[in-house]
Amino acid sequence: MADHKTADLSPAERVYETPPTERPITEAEAARAAKLSANEHIKIASGYLRGTLAEGLLKNATGAISDDDGQLVKFHGMYLQDDRDLRAERTKKKLDKAYSFMIRLRIAGGVVTPKQWLILDEIARTYANGTLRATTRQTFQYHGVIKSNLKRTMAAIDAALLDTIAACGDVNRNVMAATNPAQKGAHEAAYKLAKDISDSLLPKTNAWREIWLDGERVVGGEDASEVEPVYGKTYLPRKFKTIVAVPPSNEVDVYAHDLGFIAILDKKGEVTGWNVTVGGGMGMTHGETDTFPRTADVMLFSEPEYALKVAEAVMTVQRDWGNRNVRKNARLKYTIERYGLKAFRAEVEKRVGRAFQDPKPFTFTGNGDRYGWVAGDDGKHHLTLYVPSGRIKDVEGGPQFLAGLRRIAEVHQGDFRLTGNQNVIIANVPADKKAEIDALVQEYGLTTGAGALRRNSLACVALPTCGLALAESERYLPSLIDELEESLASHGLAEDDITIRMTGCPNGCARPFIAEIGLVGRGPERYNLYLGAAFDGSRLSKLYAEDVTAADIRPKLDPLFAAYAKDRTKGERFGDFVIRAGYVAKTGNGPDFHVQTGAQKAVA
């Protein structure tokens, strides 16, 4: 593990560790002797993700499951949660916590048909809390599903020809892909690659169907070579996230993920190959400088026919090289820091069986969505709706997202696409159907845009359901933006695009560390304020102010907005300005995130 004090060294000056040559330990005794992390033992003993989940579902005395099964159920696309708003009251009355499950779907590329949308809508109203949530992972989540309804919910998802396998857990999770439908050929190539990677790297265990759909146990299921030929008994050291991007839009935030493919286009807009990125990731732990966010390195250029092999090779190198002793340092970003990009690339090329070219030039212009109607180069039309924090629900006195999109799904002839920014695209609308869609959008008060700051915002769920949340996020960010919009308007900046993202904890689900303004929960109504990331998501931010109360966020930012309005150069972005003006230090990458933090000078 590279010490954070080495952040100022160039890769050529760094001294890296020697990579391991053995496959991961899969036997219980050897795992104990090697002092592997607790989750490794759980996986080894699970029988390929079965554990005691089937038995636990039959225990009616509690809405929870065992701690070990709570780790395994993530591989099935679920997290055990409870309503934290009710904790104190229920504890006082000596009641069990108000347990329920969050269920995340696996939807490669975020594309669903109108028929699937209608089924997912019905599930939300029948078994969940009456909402669908579009996530920053380009898929849907359900919240509030109680244990007794889990199998019914999973059966309904299966009936939509969808599933939740590997949407969470130490596996290749939901694969995201560029959604820009104006670039038809490039989008189709990106979507196909995302789908192929998702299908190819899917766990092979039959546990999901056995447990949730009462499928039969596969004979010989204990044989690793039969059940998990790629993953083995212990799967990956930690989560693994894959992205496919198409310049000039970086709306999927390719630099924030373990593995990425950036389309290299010819003059006709066709994909000639893919730049491959490795080692991005957002999560960290407050106060522990050996954990940090990291932007991905652009490693090599792959021709289209080798892309799938490269994806598997990158994942299997991480399988074999990743840290299985210290879970907080187990992501691919730490593997790259430990062994170096050069050694990692050499191993990937060895496993694919050929050398690759160096990366090709490309340009990103931003990581936001394009709202309203966009015409594709194939004559079809695509409408991007702004959905606040991705929460698809009917707002009293406001937009009726759930009812409106249900009505649109009943008449829509194309498909729906979720974006990595939590929004919804009504895609592939024929020209003669635009007026019908527009009428429904107006009838249900759906939003095709928002103010500049709001349309560039993201928030994680946080309280009351996320067990990791230290502070509010989804419920608080809208009112904070109200305040900041007033501040921006007072300085003539109301229409200036600035990215702002908020999370309730430093795990970074809404990717706050690559937002020009990032707010990360420290405790109730307290946040760390980060500034200085790049507008296109290619550079990390830096800690500007620690433990800022909610009431002090606007006073901290207002003088910076004033300075930006007065002293910026033509076309200069806010994140670039605060660095050039000397208010915050520029972050290089990885360990450098924790170096030279805090305000570098007072705001005049």
Side-chain angles (χ1 to χ4, degrees), residues 46-57 69 72-73 76 78 150-152 154 205-217:
S46 73
Y48 299 107
L49 310 181
R50 292 173 176 85
T52 58
L53 280 168
E55 296 88 336
L57 292 176
D69 285 345
L72 291 177
V73 82
H76 298 255
M78 286 174 259
L150 281 176
K151 293 181 73 169
R152 297 183 185 95
M154 298 300 246
T205 175
N206 197 47
W208 190 86
R209 302 200 74 83
E210 289 173 19
I211 295 167
W212 309 112
L213 304 179
D214 295 325
E216 293 184 9
R217 176 86 183 232

Side-chain angles (χ1 to χ4, degrees), residues 258-484:
D258 299 88
L259 170 62
F261 292 84
I262 301 172
I264 302 302
L265 309 177
D266 62 19
K267 293 181 180 180
K268 295 181 180 179
E270 298 299 320
V271 176
T272 62
W274 308 91
N275 279 353
V276 179
T277 64
V278 294
M282 290 289 97
M284 55 163 277
T285 303
H286 286 313
E288 298 187 18
T289 55
D290 61 342
T291 69
F292 43 80
R294 189 180 192 277
T295 50
D297 296 305
V298 187
M299 183 173 66
L300 56 81
F301 172 81
S302 171
E303 295 82 1
E305 62 269 27
Y306 290 101
L308 193 58
K309 292 181 179 179
V310 170
E312 181 171 323
V314 169
M315 194 188 78
T316 60
V317 177
Q318 165 61 1
R319 176 198 67 196
D320 298 343
W321 289 15
N323 190 338
R324 292 181 183 265
N325 295 90
V326 184
R327 192 164 170 81
K328 69 178 182 179
N329 291 136
R331 291 286 298 273
L332 177 57
K333 61 183 176 180
Y334 300 114
T335 304
I336 300 293
E337 288 288 331
R338 183 178 298 112
Y339 303 119
L341 183 65
K342 182 179 179 180
F344 191 89
R345 173 175 171 173
E347 184 66 18
V348 168
E349 291 179 329
K350 177 183 175 182
R351 296 191 184 200
V352 176
R354 72 186 297 271
F356 288 95
Q357 299 176 52
D358 287 340
K360 307 288 187 182
F362 65 95
T363 300
F364 286 128
T365 56
N367 60 355
D369 291 335
R370 296 195 294 175
Y371 298 99
W373 284 105
V374 175
D377 52 21
D378 61 347
K380 295 290 181 66
H381 299 264
H382 318 276
L383 178 63
T384 301
L385 301 177
Y386 168 70
V387 183
S389 297
R391 185 66 68 175
I392 300 169
K393 64 179 181 180
D394 294 336
V395 180
E396 187 175 349
Q400 305 294 292
F401 285 107
L402 197 68
L405 284 165
R406 182 191 318 133
R407 183 73 185 90
I408 289 171
E410 291 171 350
V411 300
H412 182 35
Q413 298 175 353
D415 53 48
F416 291 93
R417 296 173 185 172
L418 305 180
T419 79
N421 290 308
Q422 304 175 305
N423 297 307
V424 175
I425 301 176
I426 304 167
N428 288 310
V429 179
D432 61 357
K433 289 288 185 179
K434 280 182 64 181
E436 184 178 15
I437 299 296
D438 275 332
L440 292 170
V441 166
Q442 185 174 359
E443 179 182 348
Y444 289 92
L446 308 186
T447 47
T448 57
L453 188 66
R454 201 175 300 270
R455 66 176 176 253
N456 287 288
S457 67
L458 288 181
C460 71
V461 174
L463 297 170
T465 52
C466 179
L468 300 175
L470 304 171
E472 294 281 2
S473 182
E474 179 184 341
R475 296 195 296 193
Y476 171 50
L477 185 59
S479 60
L480 175 62
I481 290 179
D482 288 342
E483 293 182 40
L484 298 182

Side-chain angles (χ1 to χ4, degrees), residues 24-42:
I25 295 169
T26 60
E27 298 305 320
E29 283 299 324
R32 280 190 285 271
K35 297 182 180 180
L36 299 189
S37 66
N39 285 60
E40 295 300 301
H41 303 294
I42 293 170

Side-chain angles (χ1 to χ4, degrees), residues 480-552:
L480 175 62
I481 290 179
D482 288 342
E483 293 182 40
L484 298 182
E485 283 179 333
E486 291 179 2
S487 179
L488 288 164
S490 72
H491 301 298
L493 299 172
E495 293 307 313
D496 284 68
D497 287 307
I498 299 172
T499 56
I500 180 171
R501 295 175 179 179
M502 175 178 281
T503 59
C505 82
N507 281 307
C509 292
R511 305 188 285 276
F513 304 116
I514 50 172
E516 293 176 288
I517 301 171
L519 292 151
V520 177
R522 286 278 298 181
E525 297 191 13
R526 292 184 294 113
Y527 300 85
N528 280 358
L529 172 60
Y530 296 87
L531 301 174
F535 184 74
D536 67 355
S538 61
R539 181 182 65 242
L540 291 171
S541 57
K542 184 75 75 177
L543 178 63
Y544 177 75
E546 194 170 8
D547 236 13
V548 180
T549 65
D552 283 338

